[in-house]
Amino acid sequence: REPRIAKRVNAATQRMLGIFAKAIRRAQVEGDIPTRADPEALAAFFLCSVSGLRNMLQTRMDRDLLRATTAQVLAALRA
């Protein structure tokens, strides 16, 4: 709600998206992620996934479910 804080949070989010997109592009060059995938969209998906996993960890979610969810996120990146 505070504009100054919102601006900082947005800037940090944009930096993370840029870092993830760069890593995805590199993985595409290396053949680990299909080149048909949009790096920016995958970066946003991954950021949302990491945020959700963090929430699951904080609620002490079942470890097996966390592992399965993480595996599903990684599989989606490679699909």
Side-chain angles (χ1 to χ4, degrees):
R1 295 181 185 183
E2 172 64 38
R4 189 172 51 109
I5 293 172
K7 185 176 180 179
R8 287 184 177 178
V9 170
N10 186 42
T13 300
Q14 292 303 316
R15 278 193 304 274
M16 289 303 301
L17 286 170
I19 290 166
F20 289 154
K22 182 178 178 181
I24 289 166
R25 282 189 209 92
R26 185 177 66 229
Q28 287 176 319
V29 169
E30 294 172 0
D32 293 324
I33 293 178
T35 56
R36 69 181 181 281
D38 177 357
E40 284 73 24
L42 279 181
F45 167 76
F46 189 68
L47 181 62
C48 288
S49 298
V50 168
S51 178
L53 286 167
R54 186 180 315 124
N55 288 338
M56 291 174 74
L57 280 168
Q58 290 174 346
T59 61
R60 306 211 189 280
M61 189 70 62
D62 177 72
R63 292 281 181 195
D64 290 335
L65 181 57
L66 284 168
R67 285 187 191 97
T69 303
T70 301
Q72 187 62 47
V73 170
L74 294 174
L77 288 173
R78 294 182 180 119

